Amino acid sequence: MGRYSRQLRAAALAAAVLAGAFALAWAACPFPAAKLATYPEATVLLDREGRALRVRLGEDDSDCRPHFEPRADDWISRAIIAVEDRRFRSHPGVDPVAILRAAADNLRHGRVRSGASTISTQVVRLLEPRPRTLATKIVEAFRALQMERILGKDAILAQYLNRAPFGGNAVGVESASRRYFGKSAHDLSLAEAALLAGLPQSPTRLRPDRHPERARRRQAHVLERMEACGVIDGAQRAAALAQPLAIRPAAYPFRAPHFAELALEAAPGGGTRRTTLDPVLQGAVESALRRHAAPLAAAGIHGAAAVVIEVRTGAVRALAGSPDYGDADHAGQVNGAAAPRSAGSTLKPFAFALAIDQGRLTPGRVLADVPRSYAGLDPRNFDDEWMGLVSARDALVLSLNLPALGVAAETGVDPLLRMLRTAGLGTLDRDAAHYGLGLVLGNGSVTLLDLANAYAAIARGGEWRPCRWFENAPPGAARRVMSAEAAWMIVDMLGGEERSVDTVRHTADARMPRMAWKTGTSSGFRDAWAVAINPEVAIGVWCGRPDGRGAPQLVGAKSAVPVVWEIFRGLYPANDGPWFARPAGVRERRVCAVSGMAPGPCCGATAADWSVPGVTRHEVCAVHRRVTADGPGGVARSDVREVWPPEVQAFLDRSREVAARAPADTAAPRNPVRIVSPVAGSVFRRLGGPAERIPLAATAESGAQLWWFVDDRLLASVRAGEPLLWDLEPGRHVVVCSDASGRSDRAPITVE
Ligand SMILES: [Zn+2]
């Protein structure tokens, strides 16, 4: 009696200790629930219509799509339960019946022949892989019991179906189903589900695309288990066995590769995400790029890129970074839409907009396009001709460098740089001193994508938004780049009705919906740009060599514009594009027809211009002045005269002089050296201010070396045709120009 009670007590004590230890372990080692949410998830990008664009594999190149939710009636769930754990729905995480059976089985054979794994313990093993020992089995059983207290049966089954290996890099049933059968796991037939359900036990050996016979034998076993469990009947099993299975691993989708790369950069997490890409437009953009790239390729230019951004949302609707991604010989994989390149003239509209917002500029204001020197710059115009006096509108449309430099000098480089960065041009990352006024001529680098999005801001009435890559992404924070009034004046200037036939000389098809557009060519003919906007889209095109070398064919108007036009025409086949409404803040006003400034009492004709009341400065025309001078017979006379800054006056005088004596030159003596600026006998009036200069220019034999003297002092030696400027000094001077043969011309002048 005493002996039994001692034994009983000892057993009870042992049980109590075990129970205590179990309770302690349960409390001290909580289930690692955080791991339940971590998958080596792949990222699947879809176009905006839901078709797959690109798959980015997860950790270790796993293809895991962990969003399969088992349903009671799907074949794969029933097949997995039948073959792996038939009492799954009723056991508490471990299966006592299976343990007893396995123990008996192992005893009979004297070695470990079968385990008693449940779906739950297998989930634990997938979450925390451990060496396969008896101790591991105990830990896994313990964890399975814990997990069953946290998760329901369906959630545990989902964990299993989303984590189990299915051969190759397929992790989880959804990616396996898409990989082997090209469909979602919810759409699997009985035969297909039975085949997949057999794989996790030995995914490499049974992999159906490599070992179809083994996989089919395993499928037959799964179907047998399903019939044994009463999930299917014999007829269903026979039908499933008879169903031929087409196992053809589909290649991963690989469309719009440069777009996909940028979208993946913008999407750090995994999952299936619907992008903003419009597949039809993307196709049109790719084919336009390919077609126009062919003639350029003949000239050794293999880089070209195009971007289309929807103005309202900032959505990137199409993007191609090269004409042929697969062309490895010509760096086809380099994304030309994301590569920083010299901006050329494409930033000029921003400088003009800034000057408008500062009240300094209106489209009608007259700017001087005459030789002037700005520190360290040789700002010749693209076609090396000076226009003299031009309106801001013409200066922007014709992309004249001198007027743009003048505008940037007025706005200041710092404010201009700040504005360009506000417009998202983040690659302009040096300080203002680095760029200097050359910023407005495009000596900084921008990417096509950023540039197109900056123009989208103009089209949006001056408000910048980050590019959108995903349909359901919240819109990014907006920033104001310029006023709505300035934005409208820019599109009004760049979108004049006459523009479709002017600078690009493409008259073949002038039937185009209205658009505002700007071209650019970087120095050395390295990059050709064209950007076009209307209220709905911003289109940007870049052409160049991926290695950044120059080529004479790389002129924005010639190589990039035709691509923009083709895309634009494709978007509006009926030639019925929308146009911008003039903001109420922009009013019409009359200006002096000569200076473009508010008319004063001495001005003659006036012209129509735009202004923003309260912003635009009311500067009265300073050109038309009443000048009192001694007339014939010593009688004082009062005349209205045009008074221009000296460099402008000098240019105007020279132009008149050259025009006046052109016929005489044909009969002129042999001396080819003739000073055309300054004109002999000119009187220059200094208007005050630092460094007023006049150009020195002479006709001479082409390319001749010329020596310039002022008052017998050598000023400089330049080649004929090269600009040379001289700082005005008060007094009477003699300007002499001489060539290498000693032939020379002289021009006495006076500076007051
Ligand atoms: Zn005037």
Side-chain angles (χ1 to χ4, degrees):
M1 157 92 200
R3 184 162 163 255
Y4 277 119
S5 75
R6 257 202 316 280
Q7 281 183 339
L8 210 59
R9 250 201 318 266
L13 191 63
V17 167
L18 267 177
F22 185 82
L24 268 177
W26 191 279
C29 307
F31 187 79
K35 292 190 174 170
L36 294 168
T38 310
Y39 293 91
E41 185 173 5
T43 310
V44 181
L45 298 185
L46 312 176
D47 64 28
R48 72 183 297 208
E49 287 169 7
R51 288 192 305 144
L53 273 186
R54 181 76 165 264
V55 175
R56 176 176 62 189
L57 298 174
E59 205 178 302
D60 298 331
D61 284 340
S62 302
D63 184 357
C64 177
R65 325 248 177 124
H67 302 286
F68 181 78
E69 288 181 16
R71 290 193 297 247
D73 62 342
D74 65 51
W75 285 122
I76 186 69
S77 300
R78 288 186 279 176
I80 284 285
I81 290 173
V83 73
E84 293 291 342
D85 186 4
R86 60 182 303 184
R87 284 175 293 277
F88 171 69
R89 294 274 175 201
S90 55
H91 65 60
V94 294
D95 183 355
V97 179
I99 290 172
L100 287 174
R101 178 174 297 166
D105 196 35
N106 294 341
L107 274 177
R108 196 162 58 242
H109 291 89
R111 60 193 169 91
V112 177
R113 222 176 82 95
S114 58
S117 291
T118 61
I119 287 175
S120 310
T121 58
Q122 291 187 58
V123 168
V124 170
R125 193 178 308 148
L126 290 166
L127 286 170
E128 300 182 302
R130 294 182 174 88
R132 307 282 287 263
T133 64
L134 184 63
T136 295
K137 284 197 173 295
I138 292 168
V139 171
E140 284 172 357
F142 174 74
R143 286 295 194 210
L145 290 169
Q146 280 184 314
M147 184 171 64
E148 295 263 350
R149 299 290 297 271
I150 303 173
L151 298 182
K153 286 288 183 188
D154 282 337
I156 292 170
L157 182 60
Q159 285 283 331
Y160 180 85
L161 287 169
N162 285 321
R163 286 185 195 279
F166 284 85
N169 64 347
V171 174
V173 71
E174 184 65 26
S175 68
S177 176
R178 292 193 178 273
R179 192 111 188 88
Y180 297 128
F181 299 117
K183 58 168 85 167
S184 167
H186 283 296
D187 302 326
L188 291 171
S189 70
L190 169 60
E192 292 161 342
L195 185 110
L196 291 187
L199 301 182
Q201 283 309 320
S202 195
T204 304
R205 203 177 61 82
L206 299 173
R207 195 175 149 174
D209 54 336
R210 297 254 171 96
H211 311 290
E213 286 313 310
R214 291 181 195 161
R216 288 304 295 249
R217 282 200 294 277
R218 177 74 180 163
Q219 177 207 31
H221 171 70
V222 173
L223 289 166
E224 194 185 301
R225 299 299 310 150
M226 291 177 84
E227 190 186 350
C229 295
V231 177
I232 55 173
D233 58 27
Q236 283 174 304
R237 179 178 153 212
L241 281 172
Q243 185 188 326
L245 293 182
I247 297 159
R248 34 177 145 57
Y252 286 113
F254 198 81
R255 297 161 51 214
H258 286 128
F259 174 94
E261 283 163 14
L262 292 170
L264 284 170
E265 270 176 36
T272 298
R273 307 201 55 184
R274 186 185 294 253
T275 69
T276 52
L277 190 90
D278 180 326
V280 176
L281 187 57
Q282 176 71 15
V285 165
E286 286 177 3
S287 74
L289 212 51
R290 264 198 306 276
R291 194 163 33 255
H292 291 282
L296 288 175
I301 301 157
H302 297 279
V307 178
V308 181
I309 295 172
E310 185 176 81
V311 168
R312 188 176 58 79
T313 59
V316 181
R317 291 297 182 212
L319 184 148
S322 69
D324 181 1
Y325 189 91
D327 185 356
D329 291 345
H330 300 112
Q333 295 181 19
V334 173
N335 188 345
R341 309 290 302 224
S342 295
S345 294
T346 55
L347 305 182
K348 284 175 183 166
F350 294 89
F352 279 59
L354 184 56
I356 291 169
D357 276 337
Q358 290 178 349
R360 303 171 187 278
L361 193 86
T362 58
R365 183 175 143 201
V366 171
L367 303 170
D369 184 36
V370 298
R372 269 175 81 182
S373 172
Y374 291 92
L377 289 170
D378 176 20
R380 270 172 287 184
N381 284 319
F382 191 73
D383 51 9
D384 254 11
E385 288 169 8
W386 312 108
M387 301 283 291
L389 298 171
V390 290
S391 67
R393 178 187 298 273
D394 287 346
L396 187 58
V397 167
L398 298 171
S399 208
L400 303 178
N401 284 345
L402 262 299
L405 281 171
V407 169
E410 288 183 16
T411 64
V413 179
D414 256 318
L416 177 59
L417 184 58
R418 273 200 302 278
M419 179 209 213
L420 293 170
R421 287 184 186 146
T422 304
L425 300 170
T427 48
L428 296 172
D429 53 3
R430 309 288 295 268
D431 59 18
H434 170 80
Y435 300 112
L437 285 175
L439 181 62
V440 75
L441 303 186
N443 65 2
S445 293
V446 299
T447 71
L448 176 66
L449 180 63
D450 288 347
L451 186 67
N453 201 34
Y455 272 74
I458 300 177
R460 207 176 284 125
E463 204 177 68
W464 180 89
R465 286 176 193 283
C467 289
R468 284 179 91 213
W469 300 95
F470 299 100
E471 284 292 312
N472 59 356
R479 305 198 287 248
R480 184 147 291 281
V481 177
M482 61 184 73
S483 70
E485 289 80 14
W488 183 83
M489 285 195 202
I490 295 297
V491 298
D492 185 60
M493 288 193 260
L494 292 178
E497 299 279 12
E498 73 284 359
R499 284 220 62 194
S500 58
V501 289
D502 61 8
T503 48
V504 284
R505 294 155 190 126
H506 277 266
T507 51
D509 184 2
R511 280 174 46 82
M512 290 278 291
R514 196 171 172 190
M515 60 181 182
W517 52 280
K518 184 78 195 75
T519 61
T521 306
S522 69
S523 71
F525 300 101
R526 290 186 175 85
D527 306 276
W529 305 89
V531 196
I533 49 178
N534 78 359
E536 291 177 346
V537 290
I539 303 172
V541 170
W542 165 85
C543 301
R545 293 171 54 128
D547 62 8
R549 285 163 58 194
Q553 290 82 356
L554 284 174
V555 175
K558 287 180 188 156
S559 49
V561 164
V563 186
V564 167
W565 285 25
E566 181 171 333
I567 297 169
F568 207 77
R569 217 178 272 129
L571 282 169
Y572 301 99
N575 195 25
D576 58 353
W579 192 243
F580 301 94
R582 173 156 59 97
V586 176
R587 302 275 175 77
E588 201 174 329
R589 74 164 179 180
R590 305 299 295 179
V591 292
C592 167
V594 175
S595 68
M597 300 170 88
C602 302
C603 297
T606 60
D609 189 17
W610 303 116
S611 77
V612 186
V615 174
T616 307
R617 294 181 192 175
H618 190 80
E619 276 180 293
V620 174
C621 172
V623 169
H624 291 108
R625 299 185 194 178
R626 187 162 294 278
V627 177
T628 306
D630 286 343
V635 182
R637 278 185 50 186
S638 173
D639 283 325
V640 171
R641 287 169 61 180
E642 290 184 11
V643 180
W644 295 98
E647 73 273 10
V648 179
Q649 189 61 52
F651 178 87
L652 296 176
D653 291 345
R654 181 181 63 148
S655 304
R656 279 186 206 119
E657 191 69 21
V658 169
R661 68 183 176 190
D665 274 351
T666 54
R670 303 306 310 159
N671 181 8
V673 179
R674 186 181 285 271
I675 295 173
V676 293
S677 173
V679 174
S682 294
V683 177
F684 295 93
R685 237 170 253 100
R686 296 191 51 165
L687 297 177
E692 295 185 54
R693 296 169 160 187
I694 58 168
L696 304 182
T699 61
E701 280 163 2
S702 176
Q705 191 71 25
L706 299 175
W707 284 263
W708 286 89
F709 301 83
V710 176
D711 303 326
D712 295 322
R713 183 163 45 84
L714 178 65
L715 191 67
S717 175
V718 298
R719 291 201 172 275
E722 286 180 7
L724 177 65
L725 296 149
W726 176 62
D727 288 345
L728 289 180
E729 293 168 23
R732 292 169 176 277
H733 306 282
V734 177
V735 178
V736 173
C737 180
S738 174
D739 71 3
S741 314
R743 292 172 298 197
S744 65
D745 191 14
R746 60 200 299 278
I749 59 166
T750 304
V751 179
E752 292 177 0

mmCIF file of all heavy atoms in Angstrom, residues 11 34 38 69 96 130 183 211 225 235 263 348 355 389 401 423 436 459 502 601 627 633 671 684:
data_model
loop_
_atom_site.group_PDB
_atom_site.id
_atom_site.type_symbol
_atom_site.label_atom_id
_atom_site.label_comp_id
_atom_site.label_asym_id
_atom_site.label_seq_id
_atom_site.Cartn_x
_atom_site.Cartn_y
_atom_site.Cartn_z
ATOM 1 N N ALA A 11 4.682 9.767 -9.221
ATOM 2 C CA ALA A 11 4.154 10.000 -10.576
ATOM 3 C C ALA A 11 3.399 11.313 -10.638
ATOM 4 O O ALA A 11 3.543 12.101 -11.592
ATOM 5 C CB ALA A 11 3.236 8.836 -10.976
ATOM 6 N N ALA A 34 5.686 37.130 -35.202
ATOM 7 C CA ALA A 34 6.114 38.078 -36.245
ATOM 8 C C ALA A 34 6.521 37.350 -37.518
ATOM 9 O O ALA A 34 6.352 37.869 -38.627
ATOM 10 C CB ALA A 34 7.266 38.924 -35.732
ATOM 11 N N THR A 38 6.164 37.257 -42.467
ATOM 12 C CA THR A 38 7.350 37.470 -43.304
ATOM 13 C C THR A 38 7.472 36.382 -44.365
ATOM 14 O O THR A 38 7.541 35.196 -44.039
ATOM 15 C CB THR A 38 8.612 37.470 -42.419
ATOM 16 O OG1 THR A 38 8.375 38.351 -41.340
ATOM 17 C CG2 THR A 38 9.810 37.933 -43.202
ATOM 18 N N GLU A 69 -5.728 32.464 -50.305
ATOM 19 C CA GLU A 69 -6.596 32.208 -49.150
ATOM 20 C C GLU A 69 -7.400 30.956 -49.438
ATOM 21 O O GLU A 69 -8.241 30.943 -50.326
ATOM 22 C CB GLU A 69 -7.519 33.402 -48.911
ATOM 23 C CG GLU A 69 -6.757 34.584 -48.366
ATOM 24 C CD GLU A 69 -7.649 35.781 -48.082
ATOM 25 O OE1 GLU A 69 -8.881 35.598 -48.015
ATOM 26 O OE2 GLU A 69 -7.102 36.883 -47.938
ATOM 27 N N PRO A 96 -2.451 12.765 -32.048
ATOM 28 C CA PRO A 96 -2.114 11.617 -31.180
ATOM 29 C C PRO A 96 -2.251 10.291 -31.925
ATOM 30 O O PRO A 96 -1.408 9.405 -31.768
ATOM 31 C CB PRO A 96 -3.122 11.716 -30.041
ATOM 32 C CG PRO A 96 -3.666 13.105 -30.104
ATOM 33 C CD PRO A 96 -3.548 13.566 -31.517
ATOM 34 N N ARG A 130 15.006 23.678 -38.503
ATOM 35 C CA ARG A 130 15.947 23.151 -37.511
ATOM 36 C C ARG A 130 16.444 21.810 -38.010
ATOM 37 O O ARG A 130 15.789 21.183 -38.853
ATOM 38 C CB ARG A 130 15.248 22.922 -36.153
ATOM 39 C CG ARG A 130 14.763 24.168 -35.459
ATOM 40 C CD ARG A 130 14.138 23.780 -34.121
ATOM 41 N NE ARG A 130 13.775 24.948 -33.336
ATOM 42 C CZ ARG A 130 12.609 25.578 -33.421
ATOM 43 N NH1 ARG A 130 11.686 25.147 -34.255
ATOM 44 N NH2 ARG A 130 12.357 26.625 -32.668
ATOM 45 N N LYS A 183 -2.037 29.842 -64.238
ATOM 46 C CA LYS A 183 -3.320 30.295 -63.713
ATOM 47 C C LYS A 183 -3.252 30.427 -62.195
ATOM 48 O O LYS A 183 -2.308 29.958 -61.566
ATOM 49 C CB LYS A 183 -4.434 29.320 -64.098
ATOM 50 C CG LYS A 183 -4.176 27.894 -63.599
ATOM 51 C CD LYS A 183 -5.405 27.017 -63.735
ATOM 52 C CE LYS A 183 -5.542 26.389 -65.114
ATOM 53 N NZ LYS A 183 -6.552 25.311 -65.132
ATOM 54 N N HIS A 211 10.658 16.271 -64.064
ATOM 55 C CA HIS A 211 10.416 14.831 -63.865
ATOM 56 C C HIS A 211 8.927 14.548 -63.922
ATOM 57 O O HIS A 211 8.314 14.184 -62.917
ATOM 58 C CB HIS A 211 10.988 14.382 -62.512
ATOM 59 C CG HIS A 211 12.395 14.845 -62.280
ATOM 60 N ND1 HIS A 211 13.459 14.341 -62.981
ATOM 61 C CD2 HIS A 211 12.891 15.779 -61.442
ATOM 62 C CE1 HIS A 211 14.578 14.945 -62.576
ATOM 63 N NE2 HIS A 211 14.256 15.816 -61.643
ATOM 64 N N ARG A 225 -5.368 8.980 -51.941
ATOM 65 C CA ARG A 225 -5.632 9.442 -50.577
ATOM 66 C C ARG A 225 -6.949 10.210 -50.537
ATOM 67 O O ARG A 225 -7.720 10.091 -49.589
ATOM 68 C CB ARG A 225 -4.505 10.348 -50.064
ATOM 69 C CG ARG A 225 -3.129 9.726 -49.981
ATOM 70 C CD ARG A 225 -3.082 8.536 -49.034
ATOM 71 N NE ARG A 225 -3.669 8.851 -47.747
ATOM 72 C CZ ARG A 225 -4.290 7.982 -46.952
ATOM 73 N NH1 ARG A 225 -4.418 6.713 -47.334
ATOM 74 N NH2 ARG A 225 -4.783 8.346 -45.793
ATOM 75 N N ALA A 235 -15.019 7.758 -59.724
ATOM 76 C CA ALA A 235 -15.173 8.302 -61.075
ATOM 77 C C ALA A 235 -14.355 9.576 -61.227
ATOM 78 O O ALA A 235 -13.686 9.805 -62.243
ATOM 79 C CB ALA A 235 -16.650 8.582 -61.352
ATOM 80 N N ALA A 263 9.636 51.774 -61.667
ATOM 81 C CA ALA A 263 8.503 51.522 -60.777
ATOM 82 C C ALA A 263 8.933 50.659 -59.591
ATOM 83 O O ALA A 263 8.517 50.893 -58.453
ATOM 84 C CB ALA A 263 7.372 50.843 -61.544
ATOM 85 N N LYS A 348 15.095 77.249 -70.523
ATOM 86 C CA LYS A 348 14.820 78.677 -70.735
ATOM 87 C C LYS A 348 13.407 79.088 -70.310
ATOM 88 O O LYS A 348 13.236 80.152 -69.720
ATOM 89 C CB LYS A 348 15.063 79.047 -72.201
ATOM 90 C CG LYS A 348 16.547 79.158 -72.552
ATOM 91 C CD LYS A 348 16.760 79.407 -74.041
ATOM 92 C CE LYS A 348 18.247 79.434 -74.372
ATOM 93 N NZ LYS A 348 18.486 79.337 -75.824
ATOM 94 N N ALA A 355 11.036 85.416 -64.435
ATOM 95 C CA ALA A 355 11.058 86.854 -64.704
ATOM 96 C C ALA A 355 9.636 87.418 -64.777
ATOM 97 O O ALA A 355 9.385 88.539 -64.335
ATOM 98 C CB ALA A 355 11.812 87.125 -66.004
ATOM 99 N N LEU A 389 16.734 93.441 -82.063
ATOM 100 C CA LEU A 389 15.675 93.611 -81.077
ATOM 101 C C LEU A 389 14.605 92.555 -81.311
ATOM 102 O O LEU A 389 14.109 92.410 -82.423
ATOM 103 C CB LEU A 389 15.080 95.014 -81.203
ATOM 104 C CG LEU A 389 16.079 96.138 -80.929
ATOM 105 C CD1 LEU A 389 15.473 97.487 -81.276
ATOM 106 C CD2 LEU A 389 16.516 96.102 -79.468
ATOM 107 N N ASN A 401 20.048 82.778 -77.323
ATOM 108 C CA ASN A 401 20.840 82.664 -76.097
ATOM 109 C C ASN A 401 21.038 83.995 -75.383
ATOM 110 O O ASN A 401 20.937 84.067 -74.160
ATOM 111 C CB ASN A 401 22.205 82.056 -76.415
ATOM 112 C CG ASN A 401 22.108 80.566 -76.641
ATOM 113 O OD1 ASN A 401 21.104 79.953 -76.292
ATOM 114 N ND2 ASN A 401 23.127 79.977 -77.230
ATOM 115 N N ALA A 423 10.985 72.471 -59.250
ATOM 116 C CA ALA A 423 10.342 71.781 -60.375
ATOM 117 C C ALA A 423 10.837 70.340 -60.504
ATOM 118 O O ALA A 423 10.607 69.693 -61.520
ATOM 119 C CB ALA A 423 10.588 72.545 -61.667
ATOM 120 N N GLY A 436 26.550 79.367 -62.699
ATOM 121 C CA GLY A 436 26.545 80.735 -63.204
ATOM 122 C C GLY A 436 25.373 80.940 -64.150
ATOM 123 O O GLY A 436 24.396 80.164 -64.154
ATOM 124 N N ALA A 459 2.191 72.669 -67.370
ATOM 125 C CA ALA A 459 0.872 72.337 -67.912
ATOM 126 C C ALA A 459 -0.193 72.285 -66.827
ATOM 127 O O ALA A 459 -1.382 72.465 -67.094
ATOM 128 C CB ALA A 459 0.932 70.998 -68.650
ATOM 129 N N ASP A 502 7.138 76.650 -87.958
ATOM 130 C CA ASP A 502 8.288 77.553 -87.980
ATOM 131 C C ASP A 502 9.604 76.822 -87.807
ATOM 132 O O ASP A 502 10.131 76.243 -88.766
ATOM 133 C CB ASP A 502 8.118 78.694 -86.980
ATOM 134 C CG ASP A 502 7.997 78.194 -85.562
ATOM 135 O OD1 ASP A 502 8.203 76.991 -85.335
ATOM 136 O OD2 ASP A 502 7.704 78.982 -84.678
ATOM 137 N N PRO A 601 4.711 109.248 -73.032
ATOM 138 C CA PRO A 601 4.180 110.327 -73.871
ATOM 139 C C PRO A 601 4.891 110.439 -75.219
ATOM 140 O O PRO A 601 4.337 111.008 -76.152
ATOM 141 C CB PRO A 601 4.422 111.586 -73.025
ATOM 142 C CG PRO A 601 5.453 111.194 -72.017
ATOM 143 C CD PRO A 601 5.304 109.743 -71.787
ATOM 144 N N VAL A 627 14.621 114.679 -77.124
ATOM 145 C CA VAL A 627 15.995 115.159 -77.024
ATOM 146 C C VAL A 627 16.068 116.552 -77.627
ATOM 147 O O VAL A 627 15.578 116.786 -78.737
ATOM 148 C CB VAL A 627 16.960 114.211 -77.774
ATOM 149 C CG1 VAL A 627 18.392 114.751 -77.724
ATOM 150 C CG2 VAL A 627 16.867 112.819 -77.174
ATOM 151 N N GLY A 633 21.107 126.667 -88.088
ATOM 152 C CA GLY A 633 21.023 128.071 -87.742
ATOM 153 C C GLY A 633 21.042 128.319 -86.246
ATOM 154 O O GLY A 633 20.687 129.385 -85.775
ATOM 155 N N ASN A 671 41.293 96.360 -100.808
ATOM 156 C CA ASN A 671 41.388 96.169 -99.357
ATOM 157 C C ASN A 671 40.154 95.469 -98.796
ATOM 158 O O ASN A 671 39.058 96.019 -98.837
ATOM 159 C CB ASN A 671 41.552 97.538 -98.676
ATOM 160 C CG ASN A 671 41.683 97.382 -97.171
ATOM 161 O OD1 ASN A 671 41.791 96.273 -96.666
ATOM 162 N ND2 ASN A 671 41.673 98.508 -96.473
ATOM 163 N N PHE A 684 28.730 107.669 -79.035
ATOM 164 C CA PHE A 684 28.075 106.789 -78.063
ATOM 165 C C PHE A 684 27.785 107.569 -76.795
ATOM 166 O O PHE A 684 28.609 108.338 -76.326
ATOM 167 C CB PHE A 684 28.958 105.588 -77.742
ATOM 168 C CG PHE A 684 29.166 104.692 -78.932
ATOM 169 C CD1 PHE A 684 30.259 104.851 -79.752
ATOM 170 C CD2 PHE A 684 28.243 103.700 -79.234
ATOM 171 C CE1 PHE A 684 30.447 104.038 -80.852
ATOM 172 C CE2 PHE A 684 28.416 102.883 -80.319
ATOM 173 C CZ PHE A 684 29.522 103.045 -81.140
#
